[in-house]
Amino acid sequence: MISFFEASLKQLSIHHTGNKLVEEYYKLSDAPLHIDDEVLGNLLMQYFLKPFEKVNEVYRFFHPNDNLNLNEVYHFAHEIFENAELFHEDSQQLAKYLYDVANHPKIKSGELYVAYFEKVQIEGEQLDVLGIFKSETKDTYLKVFPKDDGFNMSYEQDAISINKLDKGCLIFNTEKEEGYKVVVLDQSKSSNESAVYWKDEFLKLKIRNDSYNQTNNVLGVYKNFVTQKLDDDYEISKADKIDLLNRSMKYFKEKETFDIEEFGNEVIGNAEGIESFKNYKKNYEEEFESPIADNFEIAESAVKKQARAYKSVLKLDKNFHIYIHGNKDMIEKGYDDDKSMNFYKVYFREEE
């Protein structure tokens, strides 16, 4: 969805932000970085933009008071788009603001890069883009070079890998009144405050409610409904759960649009279960303030993403794994009184 084959890097400012809770400080550069080396410029383009090639979710800036101008990053991005002469000054303000909101002792210090690009494409439109990136992970690199009749070796510590962008966002200069189009990247694995501060505290983003998000949310809600909620209300085997998940994935792969009535009838096929799913969906919408339409176009990219999280494997102790891809009537569950063990009976026509 994002491509940069015609993009160019026009401005770049670099600052350093520490963690004030452990008595680290920030350091601001006096002027933007001038890049005369074409190879370095190409490496920076790869470092900053390539990680976003497979990002599909589009966000928007927001503020809890419903006043976009109170969102600091939105404010500075708007100033830069309106007046390029403010680029470096506003990049300094962004570094100060990031330092102020990093209120967790485990947040790592690192370099903050603020970059201005031209001709970055999103959803078929080429736009100017403000990029904000942070590098936290440092590596040691070995370098081998010729010397005399052989080779020698050296190393460089605390270097940055161009294949490991820790945090970043791209702000596209379009749809200003709605909060711009924003894509975000955060490689943090944990869910504590040290991981979520980038998107939630610094950027203050909300997901754009488009077909990708609608598709992703319904599949996620339905998966949780099958794997968690059904256990509370019904006695249902794992094989039946897998069948319900497989049928939902089949529906989304074959249909172009989602219709909740059609989905309920074709996938769940039980009036009580359909009503339970609708209530579960409604509770999700209220809890997360994220409405999901009853009808929308299905986004293929969201289906592919969710398909990786849908498991069709029935694990039996540590001896067997049964992969269920189709007709659940071809597998039966029973109990053997003599062995005091459960069993599955599987029907098939050919062995490969």
Side-chain angles (χ1 to χ4, degrees):
M1 186 175 66
I2 296 171
S3 61
F4 53 94
F5 59 93
E6 291 185 67
S8 58
L9 174 61
K10 293 301 181 183
Q11 294 195 76
L12 175 64
S13 292
I14 305 175
H15 311 288
H16 182 88
T17 61
N19 187 323
K20 60 184 176 183
L21 295 185
V22 293
E23 298 184 350
E24 295 174 344
Y25 301 96
Y26 62 80
K27 181 175 177 58
L28 306 178
S29 59
D30 293 330
L33 180 69
H34 294 288
I35 303 170
D36 299 322
D37 188 317
E38 183 179 351
V39 174
L40 176 60
N42 291 334
L43 289 173
L44 287 171
M45 291 285 287
Q46 179 180 340
Y47 177 54
F48 292 141
L49 297 182
K50 190 173 179 59
F52 292 92
E53 284 183 319
K54 296 183 179 180
V55 174
N56 291 291
E57 295 94 335
V58 178
Y59 291 82
R60 298 194 188 281
F61 288 115
F62 85 104
H63 192 274
N65 292 337
D66 295 326
N67 184 347
L68 269 173
N69 292 311
L70 296 178
N71 182 308
E72 287 83 351
V73 180
Y74 172 88
H75 168 76
F76 293 125
H78 178 232
E79 279 198 348
I80 291 170
F81 285 137
E82 292 294 315
N83 184 357
E85 293 182 0
L86 295 174
F87 172 80
H88 185 70
E89 178 184 335
D90 281 343
S91 76
Q92 293 175 323
Q93 297 302 319
L94 286 166
K96 292 179 184 178
Y97 178 60
L98 178 62
Y99 179 79
D100 286 338
V101 300
N103 292 316
H104 193 283
K106 291 187 178 180
I107 291 174
K108 297 178 181 179
S109 63
E111 285 70 43
L112 182 74
Y113 310 86
V114 182
Y116 196 96
F117 304 94
E118 291 181 351
K119 293 185 178 180
V120 181
Q121 187 176 114
I122 184 172
E123 297 175 340
E125 186 178 14
Q126 281 189 341
L127 298 162
D128 286 0
V129 167
L130 181 68
I132 307 173
F133 316 95
K134 188 184 178 194
S135 63
E136 299 173 339
T137 305
K138 302 297 190 295
D139 290 314
T140 300
Y141 291 94
L142 296 175
K143 182 179 180 180
V144 178
F145 54 91
K147 184 177 182 180
D148 299 331
D149 294 331
F151 296 90
N152 203 348
M153 181 179 286
S154 64
Y155 66 91
E156 184 173 356
Q157 291 182 309
D158 296 329
I160 299 169
S161 169
I162 63 170
N163 297 314
K164 292 182 180 179
L165 179 63
D166 292 299
K167 290 176 171 61
C169 78
L170 300 178
I171 306 164
F172 292 82
N173 189 12
T174 184
E175 300 179 8
K176 176 186 69 176
E177 302 300 327
E178 288 78 39
Y180 293 118
K181 290 181 181 179
V182 185
V183 293
V184 65
L185 182 76
D186 190 344
Q187 302 288 16
S188 301
K189 300 299 182 183
S190 59
S191 58
N192 58 32
E193 291 180 39
S194 66
V196 302
Y197 85 98
W198 178 256
K199 182 168 72 74
D200 295 343
E201 298 298 327
F202 175 58
L203 297 170
K204 291 189 181 69
L205 296 175
K206 64 178 180 181
I207 194 77
R208 187 182 65 173
N209 204 22
D210 57 4
S211 61
Y212 179 91
N213 185 49
Q214 298 275 12
T215 304
N216 191 58
N217 277 352
V218 165
L219 281 167
V221 168
Y222 180 75
K223 177 176 177 286
N224 289 338
F225 170 74
V226 171
T227 57
Q228 299 174 17
K229 176 64 175 174
L230 286 181
D231 277 339
D232 297 335
D233 298 340
Y234 309 98
E235 289 187 10
I236 181 170
S237 70
K238 289 187 177 180
D240 285 332
K241 285 183 182 180
I242 292 173
D243 178 62
L244 285 170
L245 293 176
N246 285 341
R247 284 159 63 182
S248 68
M249 190 54 63
K250 182 174 183 291
Y251 176 93
F252 274 87
K253 287 181 177 179
E254 293 180 351
K255 304 286 185 178
E256 294 184 356
T257 59
F258 172 84
D259 178 86
I260 193 166
E261 299 299 332
E262 179 185 66
F263 178 81
N265 292 329
E266 292 188 13
V267 176
I268 302 175
N270 174 280
E272 188 177 351
I274 293 171
E275 190 62 27
S276 180
F277 171 65
K278 288 181 179 179
N279 290 333
Y280 189 82
K281 171 177 168 289
K282 182 180 179 181
N283 291 336
Y284 170 89
E285 293 172 312
E286 293 174 352
E287 180 179 355
F288 294 98
E289 297 181 353
S290 180
I292 303 173
D294 290 341
N295 300 274
F296 56 82
E297 291 186 8
I298 292 173
E300 183 180 352
S301 56
V303 176
K304 289 181 179 178
K305 176 187 175 183
Q306 282 287 350
R308 294 193 291 268
Y310 269 51
K311 304 299 183 183
S312 59
V313 184
L314 188 62
K315 297 181 180 180
L316 309 177
D317 298 331
K318 295 184 178 180
N319 298 317
F320 304 102
H321 285 179
I322 300 178
Y323 290 80
I324 303 174
H325 301 296
N327 189 354
K328 76 176 183 67
D329 293 334
M330 297 295 102
I331 182 170
E332 295 179 5
K333 185 176 182 179
Y335 185 82
D336 189 302
D337 291 321
D338 294 335
K339 289 184 171 59
S340 298
M341 295 179 71
N342 298 306
F343 68 82
Y344 277 101
K345 184 187 294 185
V346 180
Y347 297 90
F348 64 95
R349 296 187 185 281
E350 296 180 6
E351 182 176 355
E352 296 183 4

